[in-house]
Amino acid sequence: MLITHDTRCALDTVVDLVNTAPEEDTTPDGLRDVAALVDFVESHEISDVGVLSEFDLSAVRRIRGRFASVFAAPDARAAANLINELVAGAGTTPRLTDHDGYDWHVHYFAPGASVADHLAADCGMALAFFVVAGEQERLRRCEAPDCRRAFVDLSRNRSRRYCDSRTCGNRLHVAAYRARRKEAAG
């Protein structure tokens, strides 16, 4: 599957957005206030965004939950329905652009769109490309029992199981190794 630069940026953005949600009541919201939303927008180089407000924060949190539902969708049809709702609600207006030193690419959000509609349109379309390509199963949640972070499995053989192999993956492999050693010594 060919993934263009702008699609990859949108995928990274939607994964990071979904992962800002608190996993439990004890973990803080990664979008705790408008300043955190501004940081998110700046770090992901989201263009054409005006001054952000509490209204924007609330709207982005709502679509974050809807994107989380896409990663939890049991099949392509369910994912497609969720993505269609997101994209339609954003009032998409595809247009070619070559801003900020990037080559030609497509923006799906309407000029002057809110940050929530911008994210819903561009990130929704990036996820739509995966469903169209028959790759919806690559939109995953970490399989570590104490982690539910979202990620996109871009491995060649669709075998990635953890959000980060250096943390979640290694931690589980070490635990399994120790359990085998304990059982063998046992």
Side-chain angles (χ1 to χ4, degrees):
M1 175 176 180
L2 174 67
I3 300 173
T4 62
H5 171 76
D6 52 316
T7 299
R8 180 60 194 251
C9 289
L11 288 172
D12 291 344
T13 299
V14 72
V15 165
D16 290 347
L17 178 63
V18 169
N19 289 335
T20 64
E23 289 186 38
E24 301 168 3
D25 293 337
T26 59
T27 57
D29 191 318
L31 294 177
R32 65 193 169 286
D33 55 25
V34 174
L37 178 59
V38 169
D39 288 344
F40 182 87
V41 165
E42 289 175 356
S43 69
H44 289 86
E45 299 179 356
I46 299 170
S47 62
D48 294 334
V49 175
V51 176
L52 300 175
S53 67
E54 288 290 334
F55 177 82
D56 294 306
L57 178 62
S58 178
V60 169
R61 284 178 177 164
R62 274 193 307 279
I63 66 151
R64 174 182 68 185
R66 296 175 74 192
F67 278 128
S69 297
V70 174
F71 280 83
D75 55 39
R77 182 164 307 282
N81 288 336
L82 293 164
I83 293 167
N84 283 339
E85 289 174 14
L86 275 162
V87 173
T92 57
T93 305
R95 61 191 166 92
L96 288 167
T97 183
D98 66 342
H99 64 89
D100 298 330
Y102 292 108
D103 224 352
W104 289 105
H105 59 284
V106 179
H107 279 188
Y108 295 95
F109 61 94
S114 70
V115 66
D117 285 346
H118 179 135
L119 291 167
D122 276 1
C123 295
M125 289 305 299
L127 296 175
F129 296 143
F130 273 75
V131 174
V132 168
E135 302 286 353
Q136 179 263 334
E137 75 275 359
R138 289 182 181 267
L139 308 176
R140 297 196 176 155
R141 290 292 193 154
C142 184
E143 290 184 18
D146 59 341
C147 180
R148 296 299 301 146
R149 292 179 61 83
F151 67 93
V152 178
D153 179 4
L154 297 176
S155 67
R156 193 176 291 240
N157 62 357
R158 299 174 187 87
S159 62
R160 186 171 162 197
R161 297 174 48 208
Y162 307 110
C163 63
D164 186 344
S165 61
R166 284 176 269 147
T167 55
C168 290
N170 277 350
R171 192 175 63 243
L172 288 175
H173 288 114
V174 167
Y177 171 77
R178 287 181 179 159
R180 286 191 307 271
R181 291 211 38 192
K182 184 177 179 180
E183 185 177 307

